[in-house]
Amino acid sequence: MSQTSSVDVAIIGGGPSGTALALTICLYSKLTVAVIEQTAYDNIRTGEHVSASLLPLLDYLQVKEPFLADNHTPVYNVAAVWGNSELHARPSIINQIGEGYLLDRTEFDVMLAEQLVRQDGQLYLETKCAEGEQLEGGGWRLFLKDNSGESSELETRYLVDATGRQARISKRLGAKSLACDTLVGISAILDFEGDALLRAEALRERSKTEEVLIESIPEGWWYSAWLPNGTLIAVLMTDIDIMRQGKLHKQKQWVELLSKATHTKERVRGGQLVYPLSVKPAHSHVLDRAVGENWIAIGDAAIAFDPLSSMGVGHAITCGCDAAVAVVKYLINNEDRLLKQYQERVKLNFENYLSIRHRYYALEKRWLDLPFWKRRTQLAPIPLAAK
Ligand SMILES: Cc1cc2nc3c(=O)[nH]c(=O)nc-3n(C[C@H](O)[C@H](O)[C@H](O)COP(=O)(O)OP(=O)(O)OC[C@H]3O[C@@H](n4cnc5c(N)ncnc54)[C@H](O)[C@@H]3O)c2cc1C
């Protein structure tokens, strides 16, 4: 028989936005929270390059110390091959306020979840929200199912969609995702451990070169970064139709394309692919409605950026903190002014972001007649497609 428990705020999704919202509520109010996360944080998590503006946010969440004690590396050298074939230190492309960090993303997400539990937040791992119904008089009853098939019910006054770019909950509640591209990231982790000599050589090279490299190519661009555990992540960013046409999600074609990227190929030399290639959606989108009756969408679910901006994790946490304040105000004082402001800000942030994105892509003029670049540099406003 399933049990029913209840909390003030239930958050579906235990990424940075979900745990930041839950932590803010635990730290700064007396309301109760539960985060429902479908994994045990045992999957590969992408999105590791963050700007230094993350630190004040972590301070606010009272997790700066555990963060600094963990295995994340400061970034000193960011370089880009963008606009011509030369390698330039161009921090302005992806990091507007100086030095940032390369995260061990799994460790980072786990740290936030652990701190939540320490602050008396509830955490359901390996659990999905199978269904939900709105209760008469407000609030929700959620039907949860864990990986072993065990069912339970959770009643909540307020529901938060923190499920990431797919915005699963908001879409089920009728919101539409307005996407302005079909960007995907096809990533691989490369290890140099197999041969001690190669490894030593790679590490020597690493100390001489940049930690993060962006390199534009006719089909899109490559991103590569040295991760805190000594492996290298290499990601091909392209549009889904270009990927399918060139079969770029297949190892052979991916490696072939990589071998044409003059600077990136040098970094991966001697590396062995550790896992099969992984394809992740990376499109820019905003929800037509990020706030509804007793629900709110946060982080990538509400608004997601091109990884070129390195804004994802920082924005997800800011969004979680802002939304928490608005939700608390609503639940305690029945006041929705901050919720309305939140909705307005989501819209405004996306408009600002689109113009910055256009400016960055317009710096690359070598392939203006090719689909990937044409789609991003055309002067006409980008049409938003509802999904
Ligand atoms: C290829 C790529 C590269 C990127 N690079 C960077 C970068 O360098 N720097 C940067 O700042 N950002 C980067 N990003 C973006 C960054 O990863 C995201 O912005 C950030 O993770 C958003 O956090 P979030 O909490 O909103 O969502 P997520 O981190 O996506 O978390 C969503 C969580 O919800 C869980 N979930 C989903 N559905 C359910 C469900 N039904 N029930 C229960 N749980 C569910 C998921 O398991 C996950 O834990 C990149 C993204 C991609 C795709």
Side-chain angles (χ1 to χ4, degrees):
M1 209 173 84
S2 69
Q3 321 150 342
T4 306
S5 9
S6 73
V7 285
D8 292 308
V9 183
I11 300 122
I12 316 289
S17 64
T19 45
L21 180 139
L23 262 172
T24 306
I25 292 183
C26 286
L27 288 167
Y28 301 105
S29 85
K30 291 194 163 59
L31 300 181
T32 53
V33 297
V35 168
I36 293 115
E37 166 57 39
Q38 66 184 0
T39 70
Y41 294 106
D42 47 2
N43 55 338
I44 297 178
R45 295 184 164 244
T46 30
E48 53 287 317
H49 183 218
V50 293
S51 93
S53 61
L54 188 71
L55 287 180
L57 292 170
L58 299 182
D59 212 14
Y60 174 77
L61 294 174
Q62 300 181 14
V63 298
K64 193 165 145 190
E65 275 181 28
F67 171 78
L68 292 174
D70 274 346
N71 190 27
H72 311 295
T73 46
V75 174
Y76 299 104
N77 300 305
V78 176
V81 184
W82 196 273
N84 59 49
S85 58
E86 300 298 310
L87 184 79
H88 297 287
R90 286 176 75 169
S92 60
I93 278 204
I94 51 172
N95 186 356
Q96 294 170 37
I97 62 159
E99 180 196 312
Y101 285 89
L102 275 169
L103 303 178
D104 177 325
R105 255 311 285 277
T106 303
E107 192 168 16
F108 181 73
D109 288 12
V110 167
M111 181 275 288
L112 289 174
E114 282 174 355
Q115 295 299 320
L116 171 66
V117 173
R118 218 164 264 171
Q119 299 296 339
D120 292 334
Q122 293 179 45
L123 179 64
Y124 292 68
L125 288 180
E126 297 186 292
T127 303
K128 271 192 175 175
C129 176
E131 282 297 326
E133 62 186 23
Q134 212 147 12
L135 298 170
E136 267 181 44
W140 301 86
R141 180 178 296 120
L142 307 177
F143 301 96
L144 310 180
K145 201 167 225 175
D146 70 18
N147 273 5
S148 66
E150 192 80 22
S151 303
S152 58
E153 289 180 14
L154 180 66
E155 286 189 2
T156 184
R157 296 168 67 197
Y158 207 91
L159 181 60
V160 179
D161 180 2
T163 57
R165 255 190 181 84
Q166 307 295 343
R168 290 199 173 96
I169 306 297
S170 310
K171 284 185 191 166
R172 268 157 72 174
L173 294 172
K176 293 205 166 32
S177 162
L178 308 173
C180 60
D181 59 60
T182 63
L183 192 71
V184 287
I186 309 143
S187 60
I189 307 278
L190 293 117
D191 198 356
F192 295 80
E193 242 160 2
D195 181 319
L197 265 178
L198 280 177
R199 169 98 176 142
E201 194 183 313
L203 286 173
R204 262 201 308 281
E205 276 305 308
R206 175 184 172 178
S207 64
K208 284 190 289 183
T209 59
E210 57 290 330
E211 287 100 347
V212 176
L213 173 66
I214 307 286
E215 182 169 11
S216 56
I217 57 167
E219 297 81 0
W221 48 277
W222 285 95
Y223 162 88
S224 57
W226 288 104
L227 298 178
N229 64 3
T231 57
L232 184 93
I233 183 166
V235 189
L236 168 63
M237 305 299 310
T238 189
D239 285 333
I240 198 155
D241 58 331
I242 301 174
M243 177 189 87
R244 287 191 182 131
Q245 217 175 349
K247 297 192 168 55
L248 300 174
H249 52 304
K250 307 267 185 209
Q251 191 168 318
K252 179 167 168 278
Q253 285 82 350
W254 186 90
V255 170
E256 257 170 36
L257 197 64
L258 179 60
S259 70
K260 293 184 200 154
T262 319
H263 298 273
T264 308
K265 82 170 177 209
E266 286 307 311
R267 285 156 71 88
V268 303
R269 202 148 34 92
Q272 304 289 325
L273 291 187
V274 193
Y275 301 104
L277 296 182
S278 137
V279 181
K280 292 247 161 77
H283 55 275
S284 301
H285 94 116
V286 66
L287 285 183
D288 66 341
R289 205 155 52 95
V291 180
E293 197 188 338
N294 294 316
W295 67 267
I296 192 166
I298 61 169
D300 274 14
I303 168 173
F305 307 112
D306 189 314
L308 185 64
S309 68
S310 286
M311 280 163 63
V313 173
H315 180 270
I317 292 180
T318 310
C319 204
C321 298
D322 277 0
V325 175
V327 169
V328 168
K329 199 86 180 154
Y330 176 69
L331 290 179
I332 291 182
N333 299 345
N334 200 20
E335 195 204 292
D336 67 355
R337 186 177 51 90
L338 294 182
L339 288 173
K340 285 184 178 145
Q341 283 177 5
Y342 173 87
Q343 171 66 78
E344 276 308 302
R345 230 177 3 257
V346 166
K347 206 166 144 261
L348 206 66
N349 284 347
F350 196 69
E351 283 165 12
N352 289 339
Y353 153 75
L354 281 186
S355 76
I356 296 170
R357 171 184 176 269
H358 178 268
R359 242 184 292 145
Y360 285 152
Y361 275 107
L363 293 172
E364 178 54 88
K365 300 190 191 310
R366 287 176 290 174
W367 306 294
L368 291 179
D369 53 338
L370 294 182
F372 183 88
W373 297 98
K374 203 171 177 175
R375 288 166 188 165
R376 285 159 177 84
T377 51
Q378 59 194 0
L379 285 174
I382 299 158
L384 294 173
K387 275 201 266 177

